[in-house]
Each structure stands twice: as structure tokens, then as C-alpha cells.
Amino acid sequence: MSNIDYIKYTPFRKKEFSLKTIIENVDGKKIVKKASTNLESNAFIKRIFDNYQLLKKSYVNIEICKVYQNQAEDEILFEFIEGHTLTDILIDFINKNDKKSFIDLIYEYKSLILDKNRIQTKKAFSVTNKFIEIFGQYEGIFPFDYMSITNIDMSFDNIIINNDDYYIIDYEWIFTFPIPFKYVIYRNINYLYTILGSQIEIKKFISLNELFNLYEIYDDDICTFQVMEKNFNKYVFGDNFSINSKFLKSNYNLNQINEYKYHNLQNFYSQLFWDYGEGYEEKNSIAKNITISNKNTIEINYKVENLKIKNLRFDPLNENCIIELIDAKILHKDNEEQALKANFSNAFHVDLNKYYFSTDDPNIHFTIDSDVNITEVKFQLRYISYDSRTINLIEEKIISENTKNEMKISELQNQFISAVESRDHFLSLYNDVINSKFWRATKPFRIAIEKIKKIINIKKIS
């Protein structure tokens, strides 16, 4: 018997990298499957299988989760490794307020990447064409340290401890050309901090700067690695990956980036479009610069010149975002207010008044009574998130949950159809018996038996 415990898709990657990951329980034993979602990603599946061979030759002190080629060319199987991820252990240290153990494990992470310091890094004095294709031109300091085989996805989530043994459980992105060793550390510490920050109050426990300083990753390194990360995501996601390039092109230090990002985002704006019945045009719109706060409610008011229109379109931000639309209303020329109700939007998910947008052109549409003359449009909202990576993770999770729900619905529908078919089958058998010659021929005997039973019951009572 087989049950699916978990399924995850990567629908926003380019076709050649698009996969699905399934954790399946087969007769009480869990297995992990990775499968391509189209013909173009079959080669990527094979590459993951080859990555296992590369890592197996490179690592001696750390176990590599075994992978098996399935009979189907578009699918590979992994062992399911029980245990705790490094992320789980770090969260435990935070909950216990044990900063020393937390830092010790963060620092040990470097030795794990190097197979408990067995692997020696080398020096690179230039980058290859393949590096430029995937990560862009390198603007950092030469020479840099690198590994002969680099797993850039060796994250804290992808290292599991089981009975004091370490296992690497995911290795989609392995490269054999020089990549700065510090980039791997930067990438996965940055990702760890993002993940922990979504679960607990990590900022009060330790700052991201402190973590980077442990590995002597400073402002110039951060700017270089941000550009590399942006280019890598473009390589993987293509047009589906959106990131604010201002922070990547300008040489801010980390504190300046955070200050600018959270308190002074004047380059962000919202926009109101109106339609007279012929569609939306840029000339029939008003844009407003906004300063984002993910804690406070923001009011955005658009004064218009006594417009008589059919439809309104509100673009809450010129970036992908998650918002809570608390209130929307119009003001008539006689100062009477009227609430607006959204008709539709291009959000990938709507939860009551929360809208989740993965597009960098989010919009919400409203229909207006054509007899109304509008002088002002008012919105009250809260910006929950505008971080691309976080939103992409949420979208993948929602798609995964929807897929699981659809599978359950499909299973229930199949069970219902099977039950109806069984019912119809037994009804058919019953009708065959009722209509058979034998059944009709024996009818007088059945009637006589029923009469005899009644007589016997009457005598018992008397």
C-alpha cells in the first residue's frame, strides 16, 4: 500500500530545471522521489544522479544520501534519512537561549562543507566562461578560495544528523568550476537567517552581521555575492524571478541596505487606473510614491477630477508582494462615501482580504456604478511582505497543499464512483433474481410460507 506524505513542485523554474519532489510511504517505508515535470528536465534528473557520484568520490567523513535510478528515465529515488537537520538543532539552541552552542555549530558548518576539514581549498585567479554564464562577471577580489566540487545547496536544512553521522540529503546544484568558497557560506547563512526569521525572533538573538563576521564576510563580499545570487536565480527561474536590483548594483554596506529597505523605500509606488469603458491606459492613471512598513497600516488616497467611470484598477505596489486590503472606498462629489468590493485580481492566492502576488505587476479590479461621479478613491492596507524569495516559497507551499487536496478529492471521487458501481451491480443482480422464471414460479410457495408463519405466531400468542 502506498501513501503520499509530501509533494512539492518547482513550477517557476525554467522548464529544463522544473521538478517535483515526493515523499511516499510504501508499506511503512518512506522513500523520496524526484521526477521531471516535462521532457526538457529529464537531463536535469540525470545530472542529479551524476552529482551523487561526484560527491561520493569527494566526501569520506560525511555520508551522501544514496540515489537510485528508477526504471522510468524521468525519475530518481533517494533513501529517506531519519534524524534532525542542522536548522532543527539551531532552533533548539535559540529556544534555550544558548548562543555559544549556536555559534559553535554555525562555525562547524564550514568544516562540514570541507568534509570535516579533509578537503583543501585551492586558489583561483580568474573565472571560467561557465561561471560567467551562470553567476555573471565576478567583481570580487582575486585570488579566491574554491573547492574542486562545489555544492552550493549544502544548506543547514540539507544536512541531517543521525546517530552522530552527518548526511547530505540534497544536491541538485553541483559545479566543478571555481566558485568562491565564501559564497557558499554567504548563500546558506543568508537563507538560514531568512527561514529562521519567518519562524522565530532571531534578530534579538543574533544579527546577520555577526554571522557573516564569523567567516570574515564583509560589505564588499556581500555586494559581490548578492550579484552572483541574483544572476544564479535568473539562470534557474528566468523571467519568474524578480529582485530589487538597486541593492545589488549599489555598494551599500549591510546596515545601509537594511535601513534603506525597511525605512526609506521611496522608489516603491502604487498606482490607480480608471476605465471609461474602453480599457485601461497609462494616461488615465495616478501613481503615488509610498514608504512601506510591514507593521503599520497605510492609507493611500487618490484625488480625481469628478470622474464618471466604469471600472477601477488598483496596483498596490510595483513589485511582487503580500498585502492585506483593509478598506477600499470612493468619495462622491457630494462627499458621500461608498465601499468598494473587489471583483477579481491577478493574485495567486486570496485569503479573505489578504492578497498574495508573485507578479511584479499586481492589480485588483473594482466595478463602479456608471451614474456615480467620483472625486476621491481611498485605500487602507498593510504590506505584509515584498521579499521575492519568501513569496516564491509561500507560492510553492500553497501549490503543494492544493495538489495534495486535489489528490484527496480525486481519491474520494474514485471511492464514490466505485461505491455507485457496486450499488448498481448488486441492484442488477437483485433485479435478475426478481425477474427470473424460478423466482416467479416459486412465488405461491413463498406466500404460503408467510401465511403459515403468521398462523404459528398467532397460536404462540394465544
Side-chain angles (χ1 to χ4, degrees), residues 304-319:
V304 292
E305 296 180 0
N306 200 21
L307 297 178
K308 198 170 185 178
I309 59 180
K310 292 184 176 293
N311 303 296
L312 285 173
R313 187 185 107 185
F314 175 52
D315 295 7
L317 196 65
N318 57 321
E319 269 288 355

Side-chain angles (χ1 to χ4, degrees), residues 422-436:
S422 296
R423 181 205 64 186
D424 292 344
H425 173 67
F426 287 114
L427 279 174
S428 176
L429 291 176
Y430 173 75
N431 288 330
D432 288 344
V433 171
I434 293 298
N435 296 320
S436 67

Side-chain angles (χ1 to χ4, degrees), residues 177-384:
F177 52 80
I179 296 173
F181 178 68
K182 283 186 179 181
Y183 166 70
V184 180
I185 295 173
Y186 158 83
R187 184 175 198 267
N188 290 302
I189 283 182
N190 193 50
Y191 179 68
L192 170 75
Y193 204 81
T194 302
I195 292 298
L196 293 183
S198 68
Q199 299 178 31
I200 51 181
E201 277 289 334
I202 190 174
K203 290 180 183 178
K204 295 178 181 177
F205 183 77
I206 193 168
S207 73
L208 187 55
N209 253 341
E210 282 184 80
L211 296 178
F212 285 150
N213 288 342
L214 288 174
Y215 290 107
E216 298 179 344
I217 297 174
Y218 302 122
D219 296 343
D220 288 343
D221 298 315
I222 290 167
C223 290
T224 297
F225 298 153
Q226 283 178 328
V227 174
M228 286 177 61
E229 185 68 5
K230 173 190 173 184
N231 289 325
F232 173 70
N233 280 290
K234 281 185 175 179
Y235 171 75
V236 175
F237 295 97
D239 294 335
N240 288 325
F241 183 80
S242 173
I243 193 165
N244 188 351
S245 60
K246 183 172 182 64
F247 300 123
L248 302 172
K249 292 178 180 177
S250 302
N251 189 19
Y252 296 102
N253 66 40
L254 194 64
N255 290 331
Q256 287 173 321
I257 291 172
N258 288 333
E259 182 70 20
Y260 192 94
K261 181 175 179 182
Y262 292 106
H263 302 292
N264 195 30
L265 287 172
Q266 296 299 330
N267 282 334
F268 281 172
Y269 62 88
S270 65
Q271 195 163 5
L272 178 73
F273 291 82
W274 52 88
D275 168 28
Y276 294 109
E278 299 176 354
Y280 295 110
E281 296 182 53
E282 196 73 27
K283 65 180 182 180
N284 297 328
S285 72
I286 302 174
K288 278 206 166 189
N289 288 334
I290 54 175
T291 300
I292 290 179
S293 167
N294 58 0
K295 293 181 180 179
N296 301 325
T297 299
I298 295 177
E299 289 190 5
I300 306 175
N301 300 331
Y302 299 92
K303 290 190 179 294
V304 292
E305 296 180 0
N306 200 21
L307 297 178
K308 198 170 185 178
I309 59 180
K310 292 184 176 293
N311 303 296
L312 285 173
R313 187 185 107 185
F314 175 52
D315 295 7
L317 196 65
N318 57 321
E319 269 288 355
N320 52 11
C321 59
I322 301 172
I323 68 159
E324 181 182 8
L325 185 59
I326 298 166
D327 193 24
K329 54 194 173 187
I330 54 176
L331 191 66
H332 302 174
K333 63 178 181 180
D334 55 2
N335 288 330
E336 181 187 348
E337 287 188 344
Q338 178 184 338
L340 288 176
K341 186 176 181 181
N343 288 341
F344 64 93
S345 72
N346 63 348
F348 69 81
H349 180 67
V350 179
D351 181 9
L352 298 178
N353 59 343
K354 290 180 183 174
Y355 292 78
Y356 297 71
F357 298 98
S358 57
T359 173
D360 60 4
D361 184 26
N363 50 71
I364 305 172
H365 295 254
F366 307 86
T367 299
I368 309 297
D369 184 346
S370 58
D371 294 330
V372 173
N373 285 62
I374 301 171
T375 58
E376 191 172 5
V377 184
K378 299 179 177 183
F379 296 99
Q380 189 178 31
L381 66 158
R382 184 168 68 90
Y383 292 90
I384 298 170

Side-chain angles (χ1 to χ4, degrees), residues 63-77:
E63 299 291 332
I64 311 299
C65 178
K66 290 181 181 177
V67 63
Y68 305 92
Q69 185 71 55
N70 203 1
Q71 290 180 347
E73 292 183 1
D74 62 347
E75 188 175 85
I76 51 178
L77 307 177

Side-chain angles (χ1 to χ4, degrees), residues 123-129 131-132 138 142-144 146 177-179:
K123 297 287 185 184
F125 294 86
S126 61
V127 294
T128 64
N129 289 333
F131 178 98
I132 295 170
Y138 181 70
F142 286 105
F144 59 72
Y146 76 96
F177 52 80
I179 296 173

